[in-house]
Amino acid sequence: MKILFVYTSLPKGGIETFFLRIVKQLFEEGHEIKFLFFGSVFDNELITELEKYAKIFKIDDYLFIPSIFKNKTPLLKLLIPIKRKKLQNKILEGVTHIHAPDFNSILYVNKILNTGQQINISTGVYHINEYNFSNSSIWYFKRIVDKFINYLPWQNIIFFNEICKDFYCKKFNQKFENSLVTPIGIELPLIGSSPLAKKNNEIVSIGRLTQWKKYNFHMIEVIKSLKDKNINIRYDSYGDGSQLDSLNKKVKQYQIQHLVKFHGNIPYSKFRHTVTNKLMFIGGGTALIEASSLGLPSLIGIENEDEPCSFGFLHNTDTYSYQEKQLNLPKKKIEEYILYLIGLSQESYQIECEKAKERAKDFGIQKTKKDFLTFINASQSSKFQINQYQLARVVFSMLLNKIFFFKTNYSKRL
């Protein structure tokens, strides 16, 4: 097969590193992979690695675009005429399937295929709110999103945990009850490798510092609370994002700079080295799974959780859903889990490490590759199509939403 991925950009993040892993697997199976990016934010390490397995294209090279619009918001580029013949010859020629992971990508696919060309298009729910706009019914773009979902065959959408699938089944009258669910796969360490954790007083996180990852703020409170009890735990967080200044301000306020530090981004290749010899990991997404696969007890940072609580370690769960707030699982304070680990004997701690490694096997990339190929092969043609006039209306609707309702869940992702 010749598969085209259409996506915004390639910054450092869990979804982006997943794309790298799945594309590597597809390439090794003999499939030809192409990527068309319409944004301008790229992590050098990730894009260099991706180029080993896929042909990389950028939409700016296929638009009649003035230089002033380059590196601007991708939404505006949807309004600029496209060099169709060049795009057809260089990118679309021979493509048998297009995967567009979010709604912005779907709009670009609609733009480049706006000649009636029939190629099966699929998407995935990489975030539970990707196609959820229940509070935005006044917006034209919301009506187009619903139209896309209603026209989308159930075979053409893939979910990455059970909570997301259940949510969309309820929202769209059980339409997707037979759609595939697969893990966001990781590459597992060699069988028999020793856990990289160490029973000490050091805790680590790796991930974007976004608003919904409230565990970063909770950890500052927890470290302060433990310090007041004469228990000194060091917390090192690696990543960047909109919450960095607020987090550092809180650390300074509590005067615990010697115990809590936010280091900024690290190369993806340094993940293993960064988590080695730590007591535990706390976080979410693929980073949590990767840390668990290395034998670190990995505490779940619940999405948008207001209290300093957790469902427990990844190995305390048994489905692909583990960090969603909607899970009906008991919660305990983060501090209790830390005290539990440091109170274990060395032998009991090693048992926790082995449980972490074993649980991570459920998220192996081989399982994801098999399901992803099944998903692509089963995809159907869709009747969804919008003309250039409708596309322009969608763009202006989204931009206005961003300006006047910047706190809504969709505006924050534009």
Side-chain angles (χ1 to χ4, degrees), residues 62 82-91 93:
Y62 299 88
I82 197 167
K83 301 174 182 177
R84 293 201 174 277
K85 185 173 181 180
K86 180 180 178 182
L87 186 138
Q88 174 66 42
N89 293 337
K90 293 286 187 179
I91 300 177
E93 183 67 35

Side-chain angles (χ1 to χ4, degrees), residues 159-201:
F159 296 90
F160 295 95
N161 64 61
E162 298 83 357
I163 287 288
C164 283
K165 181 177 176 179
D166 290 347
F167 178 85
Y168 280 87
C169 279
K170 290 174 183 176
K171 184 176 175 66
F172 292 97
N173 299 316
Q174 303 303 313
K175 175 178 179 178
F176 301 115
E177 62 180 338
N178 293 318
S179 299
L180 269 173
V181 178
T182 195
I184 295 235
I186 64 164
E187 292 184 358
L188 297 171
L190 295 175
I191 295 174
S193 58
S194 299
L196 299 183
K198 185 177 181 180
K199 191 172 181 294
N200 55 25
N201 67 338

Side-chain angles (χ1 to χ4, degrees), residues 16-33:
E16 291 76 19
T17 56
F18 166 69
F19 288 151
L20 177 59
R21 292 190 295 273
I22 193 65
V23 164
K24 179 181 178 182
Q25 293 292 318
L26 295 172
F27 173 81
E28 291 176 350
E29 285 273 318
H31 302 288
E32 183 178 329
I33 311 298

